[in-house]
Each structure stands twice: as structure tokens, then as C-alpha cells.
Amino acid sequence: MMNKDNRFSRKMHSNFSTRRHSCIGFDVENGLSVGRSPLDPQTNPGSGLVLQASFPHSQRRESFLYRSDSDFDLSPKGPTRNTSTVSDLEESLKHWEVNWLSSRHTEDMIVTPFAQVLASLRTVRGNFAIITGQQDRTASKTRSSGSNPPSMCKTSLAEEPHQQLAIETLDELDWCLEQLETLKTRHSVSEMASNKFKRMLNRELTQLSETSRSGNQVSEFISSTFLEKQHDMDIMSAPNKEKDKNKWPMSQISGVKKPTHSPNLAPSTIPRFGVNTSQEGLLARELEDINRWGIDIFKVSEYSGNRPLTVTMYSIFQERDLLKSFKIPADTFITFVMTLEDHYHADVAYHNNIHAADVVQSTHVLLSTPALEAVFTDLEILAALFASAIHDVDHPGVSNQFLINTNSELALMYNDSSVLENHHLAVGFKLLQEENCDIFHNLCKKQRQSLRKMVIDMVLATDMSKHMNLLADLKTMVETRKVTSLGVLLLDNYSDRIQVLQNMVHCADLSNPTKPLELYRQWTDRIMVEFFTQGDRERDKGMEISPMCDKKNASIEKNQVGFIDYIVHPLWETWADLVHPDAQEILDTLEDNREWYQSMIPHSPSPNPKGKDEGALSGEATALSEGGGPTLADKFQFDLTLEEEGESDSESPPEDEEGCIVRGGSELCRTSCSEFDALSAAAHLLSKKLTTDSDRTFSFDTEKIMAEDT
């Protein structure tokens, strides 16, 4: 389909079996090995990540993060901001940010507040040096980076008082910059960026929700999923006593079941890819692209007998030589991964073993991006792949908020905090205790402790309500290092290293829109099946239906466009800045996919053609439904819902060369003129009666999708 993936795969391919980690001495708790400073010029480049200068995005659309955060741009109908919760520094930044950004169209854009302060102070220093004739004076590097300010120099008889004052002022500025550059930016400083991005996103969503009813659906979905929920939900009543019989003890981890296959596999009998399959040749052909972005994981699932996670993990661990590095017996590894895969629910359309395999393979490719080559240790790579494999195990196919609102046992167990993510971790680590499943048996105690800490941090970061915090942390870190004199992200402490790994797994988890379009569309179909299934359960329980979960009025194409604009694009844009220029192909694919979904947003229905009255149209529509002709109701159903006035910002779906009208990932082929004419008559009758814009929703053939997994 897209040749961009092939170009990217050649760039990403490397021989993992021979690569050596120059920073193998890095300790998760203590940093780099004693005697080797990350600032040492002899230190191997693998000790840090050089941030390449990004050029103006003249060829690509920028995300909303690069717009102004000025209050003057707020819609009059937008919510009033609580100024008591915003610091004076944030307020000051917002007032001059418009002018600050507009003066830097030809430079690398900086949008996080702390990095803006650093950049502005550097500009002040440069301007002051020019005004005072001290532009040739460089910042002193002999002073210690301790907490003491520079001492005032004694006045030289040869220097004029104002010259000496200028020199002392420059020393003060240099010292302040040096101190600011060495601050840890992960916590309070990043909160400034997080709060700013949340304000900007809320403004974008407010404006979107005012445009139409479907825009309001998209706004509610993004807000409820990717922003932390405020404590204003309506909690359901406690479950009735009949359900108490099925409760499991609070000290027991639910979902863990005994393996259905033999835990004792003979090493000599392990197949090439870890599983027996009658299509090994086809599977081998697909797995040749294991190092390429956009592998067809659905074909891997089909050819492996619905064992995509097992064959993907086994192939990657062999490719990276991790079984040998950590002395993991092959039979133990296969037993564990198959047991793990069995704990993904086959009846869940999206959060299943195929998604887990996709995230593992995506993480594998991101780990091998040239900018990160030799940056992470084998233990960190092992932790990232393991976290990706378990990150959704035993997922029930509903959201955290659904579990909280229904007073589920899981919500009670984990106190409504990252409910599913905590459960995935508990199940994943619990399975290691099953017979012949402990793949970390030969790790020393400190390695096991370090790995467990990293895995916990990475899986908890997949909670989508933490998205804005993750994004703000990463962007603050990247931009702060950009405006420093070094321009190098040292990654010499656990906080910075785990932050990059967390965002890597998060990117892999949100990578569907960056994959080839045919794969992205399959993932969209699957997530909508899952959403609609949850919506049906909420409807049956008399609950308020969650955003995008009502199959009667969901705006699927608009939701995908909003999902890309406000969530996926800003995240991948920031990741691309971190590894520049390695992820440019991914951004191109993301933009292409966004344009496709934008083009598929249904157009307003056309007026009733002249010469046809409503009676004739009604008769044709009735003949269609009662005359025995195919109605497609059993496979594909269209609903036209009344929309608010003014929503006409979309295009008609294209018609392909074969004469098929393409809509929402399915095709209604005109196999006979009479059938198509009858469908057209029914559509024109509906368009005559509707005076405002309409949106399309559809119900999927859930049984067909489930059958593909089995």
C-alpha cells in the first residue's frame, strides 16, 4: 500500500545479536558506574541522547500545542478559568507568549513554560551583552555548579564602572542559567506544562463541542478518556446479593486460571516460531518484517493459529539474543508467553492478544530507532518488552470508569486508581509463579527488583487518563535540553530514563493511526465494537452511555480525526522531536491517515431531486424492504440522526473505480441496478425530510470479527 514503510524499515533494521551497550554500567538506582561521568568527553555517545535541531515544519501541519495559550483567544462560551489554581508565573507567561511565539516562526518552536523561561533568559543575556559591548564574552565554565551565587569581582582600575557592572551582571545571568539548566524537570516544573496543555486542550474541545452534536461527542470522548476524571460521577448502587456468590476474596488476584497446555515442553521439540502451525512458510514470510514499522499483525495471528503474542515475543527475544543474555530456557519462555496469551480474552474485540503483540512489536521497533541505539541496557529492553506484553492482560473490554461506576471488585481492590493497569500488572507478575513460567529465575535479586520497578512504572503509564501529564513531562524534558548549551539529553538518572521508556510504550499503545491505512481501519472497527458493546451494557443497566459508546449516534470518522488532532499527533510530534529525524515517516503516515478519515466524514444529504415526489420515493423504499430484496440489515446498518444546524465541514465519501461507494471501512457494491436504485430512493426520501446535517453510524458484524481471532 504505502512504500513509506519500506523506506523506514531499511532505516530501522539492525543486527541486534551483535550490538553492544556502551552504557551497560548504568544502574537503575545509582546511575552510571563510578568513575565514568556523563559529562566526561571520553564517555561513549551511547551514554546520552543527542537532540538534533528540528527545522521549521513547513511541510507538515503542527499540533495544537504550537498555538497560543492566550486567554484572549478563549471562546465567550468557554468555561471561566479559576485563576486561583494557576501560578503567577503561568499567568505572566501566557500574556507575552503570543508575541514570543510570533517572533520565532523561523526557529525551533519552544512551547513548554520552563523551556520558554530558559530561552528568554538566554535572549536577555545575549541582548544585554550586545548593549554593553560584551558580546565576545563567553559564559564562564570554571565555576562550580553548586548552590552558591558568584562572588562579586573586584573592580579593575583599567575598567570603567559600567563595564564592570555589565560583567558582573553577565556572571549573575550565567549562574542563574546554569542553576536552572540543572533542575530536575520531571515534577513541579512539568506540572506547569501539563496545566498549560490541559487548558489549551480544554479550549480546543470547547470550540469543537460548540460546532455540532457530533463535535460534542468527540469532545466528550477525548475529555473523559485522556484527561483525569474529576470526582463528579454518579456511582451506581451496590450489586445485589445474588452476585455476591461469585465474588472472589480480596486477597486473591482475579482472572488467573490454570494453563490448558502442558507446562513441560521439551527444548528439542520447540517449533521454529514457538508454536505448531500448518502455515509456517507464510508465517515466516510475515515475520521477516519483525523489525519494520507496520507489520501486518493480523496475518501473523492468522498464520500462527491465533498465537500472535507468542510468535512475536519469541522472534524478538531471539533477534535480540535476550534468551541467552538472561539465561532464559526456551521451554520456560514459551510456556510463560502461551500462558500469558491465554489470559487475553478471545471475545474482546480490541484489547486482546493481537493488540498485545502489536504493542510488543511496535516497542521493539522504537527501541531500535537509530537515535536510541545503545542508549538502553539489556535489562531495560527486557523490561520494556515484558511491560508491553502484559500491559492489557485479562482486559474485560470495558473502561476504568465503567468499572468504577459499577462498583466492580477490581475498582474496590485498587481504590478507583488506574484500576485496569494495576490489574494487568498483578496478573502478569502472578503468572510468573505458575509451573515452569518464571522467565526471570536466573536474574539476581537486584535485577529482579529493578525490572519489576520499571515494568510497574511503564504499565501504569498506559492509563490514558495520565496522557497529558506524560506528554507535558516529555516535551518539557526535550525542550529544556534543547535550549541549554549542551543540547544533549544525558539520561544519566532513573527518572529521565524511565520517562523515555514510559512514553515509548505509550506511543506504541497509541500507534494504530501511524500504521498503514488498511491496518488502522481494522483497529478502528475493532475498538468501535468494544465501545458499542460497553454502551449496550450501560444501556441495559440504565446507566448514562459513555462518549462514543452509543452505536445509535456515534460519529466514527470525526472521532478519529479528533483523536489524531488532539491526542496522537501531539504525542508523536514530541516523540519525533526526541529522536529526530528518525520518526518523520511515521508522522507522514499519520497525516495521510488523518486526511483519509477527514475525507470520509459524511456530507450533508443532497436535496430531493426534482420529478420525484415523496409518495413515489416512499413506495420504492417500501418495495425494497418488503419485496424480498437484500437489505444488508444483517451485516451493515446505517442510521441517519438529526444534527445541529451549521455542521457541513465534511466531504462526500469517494466512489472507487469499480463503482463501489466506500463508507466507514465497508463497501456497498452495486451488484444490480434495481437494488441500487431502491437504496437511492430510500436515501433521497430521508434527505427530503431532514433539514439539517446528518451523521452516519453503523453496527459491526461482531461475530465475524470474533471469528477472525479463532
Side-chain angles (χ1 to χ4, degrees):
M1 180 228 160
M2 294 185 183
N3 293 326
K4 298 174 183 175
D5 315 282
N6 298 328
R7 296 198 302 271
F8 184 70
S9 65
R10 289 195 294 271
K11 184 189 302 180
M12 301 298 294
H13 183 75
S14 59
N15 187 354
F16 299 104
S17 60
T18 59
R19 69 194 286 264
R20 301 176 66 89
H21 298 285
S22 60
C23 57
I24 195 68
F26 179 84
D27 184 273
V28 172
E29 297 178 353
N30 302 321
L32 294 174
S33 301
V34 177
R36 176 61 63 87
S37 168
L39 296 175
D40 188 343
Q42 300 301 320
T43 301
N44 189 292
S47 300
L49 175 59
V50 178
L51 298 181
Q52 304 290 339
S54 302
F55 298 98
H57 302 291
S58 57
Q59 303 293 328
R60 187 180 294 114
R61 182 177 56 89
E62 293 173 339
S63 73
F64 76 92
L65 299 181
Y66 289 90
R67 300 174 190 168
S68 169
D69 187 31
S70 171
D71 282 337
F72 302 110
D73 293 340
L74 281 174
S75 167
K77 297 182 181 179
T80 304
R81 181 175 40 79
N82 184 359
T83 56
S84 63
T85 62
V86 183
S87 68
D88 293 338
L89 177 58
E90 288 176 320
E91 285 296 311
S92 301
L93 285 171
K94 288 165 62 181
H95 284 297
W96 55 258
E97 184 181 21
V98 179
N99 293 331
W100 193 94
L101 289 174
S102 63
S103 66
R104 285 166 169 74
H105 285 307
T106 60
E107 302 177 19
D108 201 15
M109 299 287 283
I110 303 297
V111 298
T112 53
F114 185 72
Q116 287 176 341
V117 170
L118 283 179
S120 183
L121 283 176
R122 287 196 170 277
T123 302
V124 169
R125 187 203 182 279
N127 293 343
F128 182 79
I130 293 174
I131 293 172
T132 58
Q134 301 292 326
Q135 60 266 37
D136 295 330
R137 177 182 172 84
T138 58
S140 174
K141 296 297 181 184
T142 59
R143 185 172 64 250
S144 170
S145 60
S147 58
N148 295 325
S151 58
M152 295 300 178
C153 302
K154 294 183 178 179
T155 305
S156 171
L157 296 176
E159 293 178 324
E160 296 292 337
H162 71 275
Q163 292 178 325
Q164 180 62 25
L165 182 61
I167 293 173
E168 292 174 357
T169 303
L170 286 174
D171 281 342
E172 290 284 349
L173 280 172
D174 290 339
W175 181 84
C176 290
L177 285 168
E178 187 177 351
Q179 297 303 305
L180 289 173
E181 290 169 5
T182 57
L183 284 178
K184 299 299 181 187
T185 60
R186 182 70 195 272
H187 300 293
S188 59
V189 169
S190 288
E191 288 177 5
M192 296 166 59
S194 179
N195 291 337
K196 171 186 172 180
F197 292 169
K198 289 175 182 177
R199 286 196 306 271
M200 296 172 70
L201 179 58
N202 278 326
R203 182 172 69 246
E204 295 285 334
L205 296 181
T206 298
Q207 295 173 349
L208 178 64
S209 65
E210 293 172 350
T211 60
S212 66
R213 182 179 302 170
S214 59
N216 187 58
Q217 291 176 5
V218 176
S219 175
E220 288 182 356
F221 167 72
I222 293 175
S223 178
S224 63
T225 305
F226 298 96
L227 293 176
E228 292 187 72
K229 183 73 174 178
Q230 301 300 317
H231 299 286
D232 57 356
M233 71 288 290
D234 184 18
I235 303 297
M236 296 290 293
S237 59
N240 58 47
K241 294 184 178 180
E242 293 181 0
K243 296 182 179 180
D244 291 348
K245 300 177 182 179
N246 298 323
K247 287 186 177 180
W248 40 271
M250 294 297 286
S251 60
Q252 177 184 339
I253 299 174
S254 70
V256 177
K257 54 190 177 184
K258 292 296 180 181
T260 57
H261 48 80
S262 173
N264 298 313
L265 300 174
S268 59
T269 63
I270 295 178
R272 177 182 176 186
F273 298 110
V275 299
N276 292 310
T277 173
S278 60
Q279 305 184 79
E280 187 173 287
L282 294 174
L283 179 60
R285 188 180 306 169
E286 293 299 323
L287 291 178
E288 286 177 358
D289 293 330
I290 196 69
N291 302 321
R292 179 178 66 86
W293 190 259
I295 186 175
D296 193 336
I297 202 68
F298 297 106
K299 288 185 178 179
V300 172
S301 177
E302 177 185 351
Y303 298 151
S304 64
N306 197 29
R307 287 288 183 183
L309 182 58
T310 299
V311 299
T312 300
M313 284 280 283
Y314 192 55
S315 299
I316 290 173
F317 272 60
Q318 286 185 313
E319 179 85 4
R320 292 184 173 274
D321 210 21
L322 293 175
L323 298 179
K324 181 179 179 181
S325 298
F326 294 101
K327 300 178 181 179
I328 305 174
D331 61 313
T332 301
F333 182 82
I334 294 297
T335 301
F336 168 75
V337 180
M338 291 183 73
T339 303
L340 175 68
E341 190 158 24
D342 287 340
H343 283 75
Y344 277 91
H345 297 190
D347 59 346
V348 171
Y350 182 90
H351 292 98
N352 51 34
N353 59 335
I354 306 178
H355 170 66
D358 184 58
V359 173
V360 168
Q361 193 269 338
S362 299
T363 300
H364 163 68
V365 176
L366 294 179
L367 280 167
S368 56
T369 188
L372 296 176
E373 181 70 20
V375 168
F376 294 109
T377 67
D378 282 338
L379 185 64
E380 290 169 318
I381 292 172
L382 176 66
L385 295 173
F386 180 77
S388 300
I390 72 170
H391 86 282
D392 272 331
V393 64
D394 198 40
H395 198 295
V398 295
S399 66
N400 278 334
Q401 199 57 49
F402 179 88
L403 296 175
I404 294 170
N405 289 346
T406 55
N407 281 330
S408 73
E409 292 295 318
L410 287 179
L412 294 175
M413 170 73 84
Y414 299 113
N415 301 313
D416 297 351
S417 178
S418 299
V419 177
L420 285 172
E421 291 72 28
N422 277 295
H423 180 61
H424 303 324
L425 282 164
V427 173
F429 279 105
K430 180 66 177 178
L431 292 177
L432 292 171
Q433 300 177 3
E434 296 296 319
E435 183 180 357
N436 197 31
C437 283
D438 189 1
I439 61 176
F440 305 134
H441 175 73
N442 290 318
L443 271 63
C444 68
K445 181 179 179 181
K446 189 169 185 178
Q447 285 179 317
R448 291 180 70 104
Q449 291 175 337
S450 298
L451 180 138
R452 177 170 167 80
K453 177 176 175 58
M454 289 187 287
V455 170
I456 290 173
D457 287 342
M458 280 185 270
V459 174
L460 289 180
T462 63
D463 182 349
M464 293 301 168
S465 69
K466 312 297 183 186
H467 167 80
M468 293 306 294
N469 293 334
L470 272 177
L471 174 60
D473 287 347
L474 181 65
K475 201 159 191 68
T476 296
M477 182 173 70
V478 171
E479 292 191 344
T480 299
R481 295 302 180 266
K482 275 186 177 181
V483 299
T484 62
S485 55
L486 292 177
V488 177
L489 190 58
L490 293 176
L491 298 180
D492 59 346
N493 59 82
Y494 177 78
S495 179
D496 287 349
R497 296 175 77 84
I498 196 62
Q499 186 176 344
V500 174
L501 290 172
Q502 284 175 317
N503 278 278
M504 180 188 297
V505 175
H506 185 47
C507 283
D509 200 19
L510 289 178
S511 64
N512 297 157
T514 70
K515 302 294 176 63
L517 181 60
E518 64 269 22
L519 301 180
Y520 178 24
R521 291 171 64 184
Q522 289 188 64
W523 287 121
T524 301
D525 289 352
R526 286 172 172 269
I527 194 63
M528 294 314 301
V529 169
E530 199 166 299
F531 283 173
F532 292 161
T533 301
Q534 176 177 319
D536 290 343
R537 293 176 63 179
E538 290 170 329
R539 184 181 291 107
D540 292 343
K541 291 177 177 289
M543 300 168 57
E544 180 180 355
I545 299 178
S546 299
M548 290 307 300
C549 291
D550 191 346
K551 62 186 178 184
K552 296 182 178 180
N553 59 16
S555 303
I556 297 169
E557 293 84 2
K558 280 194 174 182
N559 180 64
Q560 290 304 307
V561 172
F563 177 52
I564 291 174
D565 284 350
Y566 302 122
I567 302 300
V568 182
H569 185 190
L571 176 65
W572 276 98
E573 181 181 63
T574 304
W575 179 263
D577 281 345
L578 179 73
V579 300
H580 186 81
D582 299 337
Q584 299 309 302
E585 301 279 350
I586 293 179
L587 288 180
D588 290 340
T589 302
L590 176 64
E591 187 67 16
D592 291 343
N593 290 342
R594 191 258 183 204
E595 292 304 314
W596 187 87
Y597 268 101
Q598 177 69 40
S599 71
M600 296 304 295
I601 297 176
H603 198 279
S604 301
S606 58
N608 183 30
K610 295 180 180 180
K612 287 275 189 178
D613 58 27
E614 293 186 18
L617 291 174
S618 178
E620 293 180 11
T622 303
L624 171 66
S625 60
E626 297 179 356
T631 64
L632 301 175
D634 55 338
K635 292 297 181 183
F636 208 92
Q637 175 182 344
F638 279 20
D639 293 328
L640 295 178
T641 57
L642 192 63
E643 279 292 326
E644 298 175 10
E645 293 185 5
E647 181 183 349
S648 58
D649 57 342
S650 55
E651 303 174 9
S652 299
E655 186 171 310
D656 68 8
E657 299 176 357
E658 308 257 333
C660 296
I661 302 176
V662 182
R663 289 187 182 274
S666 297
E667 298 179 351
L668 302 181
C669 294
R670 295 180 289 189
T671 55
S672 71
C673 295
S674 61
E675 293 173 5
F676 178 72
D677 290 341
L679 286 170
S680 299
H684 286 310
L685 175 60
L686 288 173
S687 66
K688 173 73 175 180
K689 295 181 179 180
L690 293 176
T691 58
T692 56
D693 191 15
S694 299
D695 266 350
R696 175 183 57 78
T697 66
F698 56 90
S699 59
F700 295 90
D701 184 3
T702 310
E703 295 180 357
K704 180 179 178 181
I705 291 182
M706 292 297 100
E708 292 176 357
D709 295 346
T710 59

Short mmCIF file of all heavy atoms in Angstrom, two decimals, residues 76 189 233 353 418 431 641 708:
data_model
loop_
_atom_site.label_atom_id
_atom_site.label_comp_id
_atom_site.label_asym_id
_atom_site.label_seq_id
_atom_site.Cartn_x
_atom_site.Cartn_y
_atom_site.Cartn_z
N PRO A 76 -16.18 33.05 24.10
CA PRO A 76 -17.01 33.64 25.16
C PRO A 76 -17.85 32.61 25.89
O PRO A 76 -18.23 32.81 27.03
CB PRO A 76 -17.90 34.63 24.40
CG PRO A 76 -17.30 34.79 23.05
CD PRO A 76 -16.45 33.60 22.78
N VAL A 189 8.07 21.45 37.74
CA VAL A 189 8.26 22.23 36.52
C VAL A 189 7.39 21.69 35.40
O VAL A 189 6.78 22.44 34.64
CB VAL A 189 9.76 22.22 36.13
CG1 VAL A 189 9.95 22.80 34.74
CG2 VAL A 189 10.57 23.03 37.15
N MET A 233 -18.75 11.91 39.26
CA MET A 233 -19.53 10.85 38.62
C MET A 233 -20.66 10.37 39.50
O MET A 233 -20.62 10.52 40.72
CB MET A 233 -18.61 9.66 38.24
CG MET A 233 -18.11 8.85 39.40
SD MET A 233 -16.86 9.69 40.38
CE MET A 233 -15.52 9.68 39.22
N ASN A 353 -5.04 -10.47 22.47
CA ASN A 353 -3.66 -10.88 22.24
C ASN A 353 -3.07 -10.27 20.97
O ASN A 353 -1.85 -10.10 20.88
CB ASN A 353 -3.56 -12.41 22.20
CG ASN A 353 -4.44 -13.02 21.11
OD1 ASN A 353 -5.43 -12.44 20.67
ND2 ASN A 353 -4.08 -14.22 20.66
N SER A 418 -6.27 3.88 38.49
CA SER A 418 -5.68 3.06 37.42
C SER A 418 -6.07 1.60 37.61
O SER A 418 -5.22 0.70 37.69
CB SER A 418 -4.15 3.22 37.41
OG SER A 418 -3.76 4.54 37.17
N LEU A 431 1.43 -14.69 37.00
CA LEU A 431 1.62 -15.81 36.09
C LEU A 431 3.06 -16.33 36.11
O LEU A 431 3.31 -17.48 35.75
CB LEU A 431 1.24 -15.40 34.66
CG LEU A 431 -0.25 -15.13 34.43
CD1 LEU A 431 -0.50 -14.67 33.00
CD2 LEU A 431 -1.08 -16.37 34.75
N THR A 641 -29.04 10.42 11.85
CA THR A 641 -29.52 11.09 13.05
C THR A 641 -29.52 12.58 12.83
O THR A 641 -28.62 13.14 12.20
CB THR A 641 -28.64 10.74 14.26
OG1 THR A 641 -27.30 11.12 13.97
CG2 THR A 641 -28.67 9.25 14.54
N GLU A 708 -12.46 -14.11 13.24
CA GLU A 708 -11.12 -13.92 12.70
C GLU A 708 -10.05 -14.22 13.72
O GLU A 708 -8.92 -14.56 13.38
CB GLU A 708 -10.98 -12.48 12.21
CG GLU A 708 -11.85 -12.18 10.99
CD GLU A 708 -11.75 -10.72 10.58
OE1 GLU A 708 -11.06 -9.97 11.29
OE2 GLU A 708 -12.35 -10.33 9.57
#
